[in-house]
Amino acid sequence: MAERARTIPKGRIGEFIKLLAREGTLIAPVARSGETVFSTVNGPEEISFDYLNSLLPPKRFLLPQTEPMLTYDANGRCEMTPVYDEEKRVIFGLRSCDVGAIAFLDHFFLGDIPDIYYAKRRENTTIISITCQEPGENCFCICADCGPFIETGFDIQLTDIGETYLAEIGTERGAELVGKAGDLFAEASDGEIERRNELAAAAEKRFKSTTTYFSAAIRRISTEIVPEELWQELGDRCLACGGCSYVCPTCSCFNVADLGSGGTGVRMRCWDSCALGGFTRMAGGHNPRKEKQDRRNRRFYHKLSYYYIQRQDKHGCVGCGRCITVCPGEIDMPAVVKMIVKGENAKVKA
Amino acid sequence: MDNAYLPKIAKIVDVQQELTDVRTFSLRFASDQDQDDFHYKPGQFIELSMLGLGEAPISISSSPSRKSSFDITVKAIGSVTQALHAQKPGSLVGVRGPYGNGFPVDEVAGMDILFVGGGIGLAPLRSLLVNLLDNRSSYGRITLLYGARTPSELLFKQDLAAWAMTEGMEVHTTVDVADESWTGNVGVVTTLFAKISPDPKQTIAFVCGPPVMFRFVIAELLKLGFSDDRIISTLERYMKCGIGKCGHCCIGHKYVCVDGPVFNYREIKTLQEEI
């Protein structure tokens, strides 16, 4: 790593951000109504550097809430024209959890039969992340093995080491940008790299949870020794609101619908959630996951079972903690993992 | 990179009324190149587009040895299939596919084949059965057990009659509820097992029908000594995209559209979810 890392004085980060804004639409954390959201910005003055993480993950710039797939004209020869989004984007200020989630979505959407809509957005998106040094109340990236500092997935990873940011270059694209920035960046000294490593270790120690819960939960879910009563309780507490799926940076399920009239229109896709009642309902009425407990079982099985992990290369949770913020039934990932492993917060002992 | 979500245009070249609410549509791609490039295995399905309404996953019911067109046998049950039923020969539709893993046709060469079908479940089985008959000498005895609720709901009646007359083939049918003219077996499809004596070491069973039928048929096959991997079925789920991305068709850790829809019973047991 020593030969690739650079440093940039904190006072000059604004100049680098202005360069990024010329590379594409710049998206960065912005303070809005007491929350932090990822939004398009025109310059460094609009960016909030004083934040933990955003309410919604930046996945919506790669997988939008709704997007057109093709326009159709069913009159005459029946024409269908694909609609692609090839806008260049630079997302600045992501946290390690969200970077890991994007790598997870890359593996899913680009593997086997690739998704061309995701692929075109992804190849035009640059990722510049900033490491976390102070975990939030709901953060558990360290349990999910996805932070607070990570090794890959970013084009550039910035760490605040005092007077400067240390910039780790993850890809050729990252190297290209550092090259364009000329004398903004200097080579990092051994001492500066050492400082970055010390801060990484210190950040890990600030978490209050440990890693053992996840592997135990993975084992129990994969070998089906979680009692049915626990899923029933989760089903009772779940409101089927879908909030967990919408804020989860690794969730990717979608539905497709044709919208139009008079034979012309657009085929759209939009976010969907396995929490919702009709997710598995088929024409004719048969619904294999009619019960909420079956749908809750499905969510945690998909995120944690080792059969899926083999398929996906890693488990489906990055520890961002957003599900804790939104779930009205308090059955977010850490709560359920603890219920499964230790029987905490549950009326039923696991 | 191909756009896997972009349908190709196909023309309806023929429509056959099978039952009151079931029709077989013969489709041919509008472009000859697309038709020549369309190679499928029995047990695979297509995503049929009715532009303006959406897509439905439908199994192919013809044998791949017929090159000029392919068949889908469709019950009118939702908005897409009802709109399809309103179409006549000459109408254009969208087609994506073929998708799914298909039946293991090559692996069953030399063996006896037992088909067990219920209701509309005979449609995907038909694709395999006709394909086997196209290469008759490569397979042993072929037996079909088929049941429907009433005589008027028995699918492919002309095919059933022809197959019953075919050398080396045995066909047994049954209905849950008879009408005045029915002289055959009355009872659920499992009652037909009394009429056959397959050799479980030499036979592969292919099963397709409503979910409740699976459980009882699999129990009969296990009683006869069939091993888990000699019992093969094709499962049904809401397959929206057909390419393993939208998430709707998952059973356990498998995507029915990519890992299935054909599964053997050993795989079905590992799914950790009710089929």
Side-chain angles (χ1 to χ4, degrees):
Chain A
M1 192 178 72
E3 62 272 27
R4 307 209 70 194
R6 305 281 199 278
T7 56
I8 176 171
K10 278 164 73 172
R12 299 194 77 188
I13 195 73
E15 291 169 60
F16 184 52
I17 291 170
K18 284 187 184 139
L19 185 158
L20 295 175
R22 291 195 292 272
E23 293 288 317
T25 304
L26 181 60
I27 295 152
V30 166
R32 201 165 280 166
S33 310
E35 294 283 352
T36 304
V37 297
F38 276 93
S39 189
T40 49
V41 298
N42 296 307
E45 61 288 347
E46 296 175 46
I47 299 177
S48 164
F49 283 84
D50 176 27
Y51 68 99
L52 211 58
N53 209 349
S54 59
L55 181 61
L56 278 180
K59 76 171 176 180
R60 72 184 180 89
F61 297 101
L62 294 169
L63 185 66
Q65 281 155 305
T66 63
E67 67 172 315
M69 299 175 88
L70 52 93
T71 57
Y72 63 83
D73 183 348
N75 304 311
R77 284 181 329 123
C78 230
E79 281 168 24
M80 290 171 273
T81 312
V83 177
Y84 297 127
D85 175 2
E86 291 171 292
E87 187 177 320
K88 291 192 172 351
R89 294 184 176 90
V90 179
I91 312 183
F92 178 87
L94 296 93
R95 299 304 197 186
S96 300
C97 49
D98 289 333
V99 175
I102 289 173
F104 180 93
L105 292 177
D106 288 350
H107 190 268
F108 177 68
F109 277 109
L110 303 178
D112 295 329
I113 304 174
D115 184 305
I116 195 171
Y117 300 94
Y118 183 92
K120 283 183 182 286
R121 282 211 185 75
R122 185 64 184 95
E123 73 195 13
N124 286 305
T125 301
T126 302
I127 297 201
I128 317 257
S129 61
I130 304 181
T131 55
C132 290
Q133 297 186 32
E134 196 76 51
E137 200 181 36
N138 291 341
C139 289
F140 59 103
C141 60
I142 192 169
C143 301
D145 196 26
C146 201
F149 286 53
I150 51 173
E151 302 300 311
T152 60
F154 47 83
D155 294 298
I156 299 174
Q157 175 170 253
L158 297 171
T159 302
D160 180 345
I161 59 170
E163 301 281 305
T164 62
Y165 283 106
L166 187 109
E168 293 166 69
I169 300 170
T171 61
E172 276 172 29
R173 174 70 176 138
E176 183 196 347
L177 287 172
V178 165
K180 283 187 185 181
D183 68 346
L184 283 178
F185 288 92
E187 268 216 13
S189 68
D190 286 348
E192 285 167 327
I193 291 166
E194 186 52 42
R195 180 82 193 112
R196 174 258 186 226
N197 293 337
E198 282 167 12
L199 290 169
E204 286 183 17
K205 288 193 180 57
R206 292 202 178 89
F207 285 85
K208 35 184 171 51
S209 303
T210 66
T211 56
T212 53
Y213 288 162
F214 254 105
S215 36
I218 287 171
R219 201 166 47 246
R220 287 181 178 221
I221 281 190
S222 307
T223 52
E224 277 191 282
I225 61 175
V226 179
E228 193 57 38
E229 295 79 19
L230 196 146
W231 298 120
Q232 274 165 11
E233 179 170 345
L234 289 181
D236 287 340
R237 286 161 68 163
C238 176
L239 299 186
C241 68
C244 48
S245 305
Y246 302 139
V247 301
C248 177
T250 61
C251 272
S252 60
C253 288
F254 58 86
N255 203 357
V256 179
D258 290 359
L259 299 176
S261 64
T264 62
V266 60
R267 179 164 287 174
M268 308 271 311
R269 73 172 168 191
C270 63
W271 289 359
D272 204 346
S273 168
C274 65
L276 304 180
F279 190 76
T280 48
R281 186 172 52 232
M282 295 181 260
H286 180 53
N287 187 349
R289 286 193 213 126
K290 208 165 102 165
E291 303 301 319
K292 273 190 292 176
Q293 70 201 55
D294 293 333
R295 305 202 291 269
R296 289 297 81 198
N297 182 330
R298 193 285 165 314
R299 175 179 181 73
F300 293 100
Y301 185 82
H302 190 158
K303 298 293 179 191
L304 296 178
S305 92
Y306 46 58
Y307 299 106
Y308 264 111
I309 292 170
Q310 278 172 348
R311 203 177 190 121
Q312 292 155 177
D313 251 9
K314 68 173 305 222
H315 63 264
C317 178
V318 296
C320 72
R322 292 181 174 99
C323 53
I324 305 172
T325 310
V326 302
C327 179
E330 291 183 356
I331 50 168
D332 45 80
M333 180 63 80
V336 172
V337 164
K338 284 190 198 143
M339 280 165 78
I340 288 171
V341 177
K342 296 185 69 184
E344 276 177 30
N345 300 323
K347 299 192 196 74
V348 171
K349 289 289 169 228
Chain B
M1 184 184 284
D2 282 341
N3 186 336
Y5 299 99
L6 188 63
K8 294 188 162 72
I9 315 273
K11 182 181 285 203
I12 298 175
V13 295
D14 192 34
V15 182
Q16 291 296 327
Q17 189 84 33
E18 304 282 358
L19 307 176
T20 339
D21 57 351
V22 178
R23 289 189 181 168
T24 293
F25 295 85
S26 298
L27 304 177
R28 182 186 166 82
F29 287 98
S31 133
D32 288 339
Q33 187 64 57
D34 286 345
Q35 183 61 34
D36 289 342
D37 290 343
F38 188 67
H39 304 295
Y40 63 94
K41 292 168 64 172
Q44 288 192 299
F45 65 97
I46 56 155
E47 291 280 354
L48 180 100
S49 270
M50 297 303 296
L51 295 179
L53 287 167
E55 288 184 311
I58 304 181
S59 303
I60 302 172
S61 54
S62 53
S63 164
S65 50
R66 191 175 92 210
K67 301 292 177 203
S68 56
S69 63
F70 64 95
D71 292 346
I72 50 173
T73 300
V74 188
K75 187 175 205 165
I77 203 161
S79 50
V80 170
T81 50
Q82 277 167 6
L84 177 63
H85 271 236
Q87 304 306 309
K88 301 206 169 9
S91 293
L92 298 176
V93 297
V95 173
R96 291 193 298 120
Y99 294 132
N101 58 349
F103 289 114
V105 181
D106 297 331
E107 290 94 319
V108 303
M111 306 201 68
D112 292 341
I113 316 288
L114 169 61
F115 288 96
V116 186
I120 190 109
L122 189 56
L125 293 180
R126 180 183 184 282
S127 176
L128 178 59
L129 208 166
V130 177
N131 194 220
L132 298 186
L133 291 176
D134 289 338
N135 301 297
R136 187 69 192 86
S137 54
S138 299
Y139 307 95
R141 294 195 51 75
I142 298 178
T143 308
L144 168 62
L145 304 183
Y146 177 52
R149 267 189 307 223
T150 63
S152 63
E153 288 170 69
L154 287 166
L155 203 49
F156 306 132
K157 292 187 186 58
Q158 282 181 317
D159 284 333
L160 289 172
W163 294 335
M165 310 276 283
T166 305
E167 175 87 32
M169 257 201 82
E170 204 180 318
V171 178
H172 298 281
T173 52
T174 185
V175 294
D176 296 354
V177 179
D179 60 17
E180 313 79 46
S181 59
W182 182 255
T183 55
N185 200 73
V186 178
V188 292
V189 75
T190 41
T191 58
L192 295 176
F193 276 88
K195 298 179 183 282
I196 58 168
S197 48
D199 176 0
K201 292 188 196 44
Q202 179 51 26
T203 312
I204 303 261
F206 291 97
V207 183
C208 186
V212 63
M213 187 199 95
F214 275 125
R215 276 200 289 281
F216 291 105
V217 168
I218 286 171
E220 289 293 325
L221 291 168
L222 293 173
K223 248 181 8 204
L224 283 171
F226 276 77
S227 61
D228 291 347
D229 50 359
R230 291 262 173 94
I231 302 173
I232 301 180
S233 42
T234 166
L235 302 185
E236 186 67 57
R237 274 300 183 273
Y238 180 34
M239 296 176 287
K240 190 88 205 176
C241 70
I243 60 169
K245 301 291 185 218
C246 73
H248 287 259
C249 74
C250 290
I251 304 180
H253 58 284
K254 303 271 192 190
Y255 286 81
V256 174
C257 65
V258 167
D259 304 312
V262 174
F263 293 101
N264 67 39
Y265 184 55
R266 182 169 40 82
E267 291 170 304
I268 288 173
K269 285 202 303 192
T270 66
L271 289 177
Q272 297 183 297
E273 249 199 282
E274 292 288 322
I275 60 166

